[in-house]
């Protein structure tokens, strides 16, 4: 099987070449990296890398090098088990989860795989976190040999089935008049039509007006539902009529999760936003166990503030935000909703 390139928001995953031997040896030769890998010796030489790359080319294994701005920063693969490593200077930026999403998508959507297996050594909290975010579940605990440490070490084994994978790629919320579901690529034209209107785009951070097709599709890919916060959903009437978007994510360096939404201006004034957000917020609190969720709006968008207050959000501060559809930064009002206040306000138990 030929190894296709996989592109994510920030990364390129490509087939390893013999010419990559030196950079691989340099990155994986860091003991803080190799000590968590079962088959990688320490020290690790360029000759070791050449042997590894030669084996890959001979056996056509599903292994990719991870590039950031044309720099090799890691490796990921799923031949004989899902595994990866990342250069230490790039830890803590979400790159491995981003790369992992791309590989997991490829494996289940293209390769016919029924179950994907993975493991990590106890104490490797970063790897445990990545695998949990990707959707792996623990199966059992045992011991496994670690080549770099030349000893047996406690190991945790995990798996993700095809059923697990698809269960984490969709959701459905029903209210009296509406349906809210995962955003799909075929939503792009409705999304562009509504989100690209100036009166909508000016209240969103990353949306242009008008909104080009390629940018809309990239926006959808970035916000696809993967069973964890950091996604966008589509809101429709029960007859399928497109209304708008809801989203849940975290801004860089932000303390709390933030909710976002918009609705087609032609459909405003009918209570759809409040109805959609009650259903979506209940889903978010129940699914992810949050105690609070934040929201904000530009000062010149008071209608959004009215919706937030109706939902139970409480004002807590001022900030400044930017929008691609605005010429310069503009003041924001910040709100916070507690689970307790939300459930009391909407008689949810």
């Amino acid at each position: 099987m030929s190894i296709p390139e996989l592109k994510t928001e920030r990364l390129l995953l490509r087939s390893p070449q013999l010419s990559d031997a030196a950079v691989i040896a340099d990155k994986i030769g860091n003991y803080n990296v190799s000590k968590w890998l079962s088959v990688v010796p320490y020290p690790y030489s360029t000759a070791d890398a050449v042997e590894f790359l030669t084996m890959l080319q001979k056996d056509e294994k599903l292994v990719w090098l991870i590039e950031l701005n044309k720099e090799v920063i890691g490796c990921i693969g799923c031949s004989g088990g899902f595994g990866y490593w990342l250069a230490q200077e790039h830890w803590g930026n979400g790159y491995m989860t981003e790369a992992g999403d791309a590989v997991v998508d490829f494996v289940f959507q293209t390769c016919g795989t029924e179950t994907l297996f993975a493991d990590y050594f106890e104490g490797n909290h970063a790897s445990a976190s990545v695998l949990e975010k990707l959707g792996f579940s623990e199966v059992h605990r045992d011991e496994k040999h670690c080549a770099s440490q030349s000893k047996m070490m406690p190991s945790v084994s995990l798996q993700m089935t095809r059923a697990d994978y698809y269960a984490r790629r969709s959701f459905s919320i029903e209210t009296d008049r509406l349906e809210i579901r995962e955003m799909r690529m075929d939503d792009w034209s409705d999304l562009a039509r509504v989100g690209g209107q100036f009166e909508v785009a000016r209240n969103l951070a990353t949306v242009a007006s008008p909104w080009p097709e390629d940018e809309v599709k990239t926006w959808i890919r970035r916000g696809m539902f993967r069973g964890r916060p950091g996604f966008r959903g589509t809101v429709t009437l029960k007859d399928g009529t497109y209304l708008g978007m809801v989203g849940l994510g975290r801004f860089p360096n932000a303390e709390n999760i933030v909710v976002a939404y918009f609705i087609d201006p032609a459909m405003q004034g009918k209570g759809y936003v409040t109805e959609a957000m009650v259903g979506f917020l209940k889903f978010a609190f129940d699914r992810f166990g949050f105690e609070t969720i934040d929201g904000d709006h530009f000062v010149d968008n008071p209608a959004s503030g009215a919706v937030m207050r109706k939902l139970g959000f409480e004002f807590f501060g001022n900030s400044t935000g930017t929008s691609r559809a605005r010429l310069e930064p503009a003041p924001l009002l910040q709100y916070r909703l507690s689970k307790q206040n939300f459930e009391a306000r909407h008689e949810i138990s």
Side-chain angles (χ1 to χ4, degrees):
M1 175 187 293
S2 60
I3 309 300
E5 286 190 349
L6 305 177
K7 295 181 179 180
T8 71
E9 180 179 353
R10 299 175 292 178
L11 307 172
L12 171 67
L13 280 60
R14 63 163 177 83
S15 176
Q17 305 298 319
L18 283 173
S19 58
D20 297 310
V23 68
I24 290 174
D26 176 61
K27 302 292 186 181
I28 206 173
N30 179 345
Y31 182 68
N32 288 330
V33 175
S34 63
K35 72 178 182 179
W36 296 119
L37 305 175
S38 59
V39 299
V40 173
Y42 182 83
Y44 190 86
S45 67
T46 300
D48 291 321
V50 169
E51 181 180 353
F52 167 69
L53 293 165
T54 301
M55 178 271 295
L56 290 183
Q57 293 188 349
K58 178 181 178 181
D59 296 343
E60 294 187 332
K61 293 183 178 294
L62 286 175
V63 175
W64 292 262
L65 289 186
I66 305 168
E67 283 191 352
L68 173 68
N69 299 324
K70 299 185 178 180
E71 174 196 359
V72 173
I73 65 169
C75 183
I76 187 168
C78 53
S79 294
F82 183 80
Y84 47 81
W85 59 264
L86 185 69
Q88 185 175 3
E89 61 268 27
H90 295 287
W91 292 357
N93 295 301
Y95 295 136
M96 194 50 69
T97 302
E98 187 174 326
D101 280 333
V103 171
V104 168
D105 285 346
F106 175 80
V107 169
F108 282 111
Q109 295 177 12
T110 306
C111 300
T113 300
E114 291 301 322
T115 304
L116 195 55
F117 298 95
D119 56 54
Y120 66 90
F121 289 120
E122 288 187 11
N124 188 353
H125 304 298
S127 191
S129 177
V130 167
L131 292 169
E132 180 182 5
K133 288 177 182 177
L134 293 176
F136 284 84
S137 299
E138 182 176 333
V139 178
H140 67 270
R141 296 187 176 225
D142 203 344
E143 285 193 335
K144 190 172 183 178
H145 187 261
C146 177
S148 62
Q149 301 192 48
S150 301
K151 64 180 181 180
M152 299 295 290
M153 294 178 56
S155 176
V156 182
S157 296
L158 309 95
Q159 70 176 27
M160 185 193 310
T161 66
R162 177 173 291 273
D164 294 334
Y165 170 79
Y166 282 105
R168 287 177 61 92
R169 294 310 190 270
S170 64
F171 72 92
S172 180
I173 304 165
E174 288 195 19
T175 67
D176 290 343
R177 299 176 292 173
L178 311 176
E179 292 186 358
I180 308 168
R181 56 162 173 81
E182 73 281 0
M183 193 173 288
R184 304 166 187 161
M185 197 56 68
D186 58 8
D187 292 322
W188 81 265
S189 58
D190 285 325
L191 185 61
R193 173 179 56 82
V194 175
Q197 296 180 48
F198 177 71
E199 60 185 297
V200 176
R202 69 190 300 273
N203 292 312
L204 303 171
T206 60
V207 174
S209 179
W211 202 5
E213 177 180 347
D214 61 335
E215 290 189 9
V216 177
K217 290 182 175 179
T218 296
W219 203 79
I220 291 174
R221 281 192 290 270
R222 290 174 179 173
M224 283 186 166
F225 183 65
R226 300 181 184 278
R228 60 179 187 264
F231 68 93
R232 303 180 181 103
T234 292
V235 184
T236 69
L237 294 177
K238 290 197 171 178
D239 65 4
T241 300
Y242 183 87
L243 290 182
M245 179 280 303
V246 291
L248 192 71
R250 178 179 278 114
F251 295 127
N253 303 316
E255 177 183 352
N256 277 354
I257 289 292
V258 179
V259 72
Y261 53 85
F262 68 73
I263 193 170
D264 188 340
M267 306 296 282
Q268 291 177 358
K270 301 179 181 180
Y272 290 142
V273 174
T274 302
E275 183 176 337
M277 290 305 297
V278 169
F280 185 60
L281 287 165
K282 182 180 186 305
F283 168 81
F285 280 122
D286 291 347
R287 178 73 178 254
F288 303 112
F290 301 134
E291 291 301 320
T292 60
I293 295 176
D294 286 1
D296 59 39
H297 68 85
F298 286 106
V299 170
D300 57 6
N301 181 20
S304 188
V307 169
M308 288 187 180
R309 290 188 295 273
K310 190 182 300 184
L311 292 168
F313 282 84
E314 297 179 339
F315 172 78
F316 74 87
N318 296 280
S319 183
T320 301
T322 59
S323 168
R324 292 184 61 198
R326 292 174 182 255
L327 294 177
E328 55 188 30
L332 288 171
L333 300 179
Q334 297 173 295
Y335 293 81
R336 180 162 293 156
L337 175 66
S338 69
K339 180 179 180 181
Q340 181 179 14
N341 194 29
F342 173 71
E343 291 178 344
R345 176 69 64 95
H346 302 283
E347 299 182 353
I348 295 171
S349 59

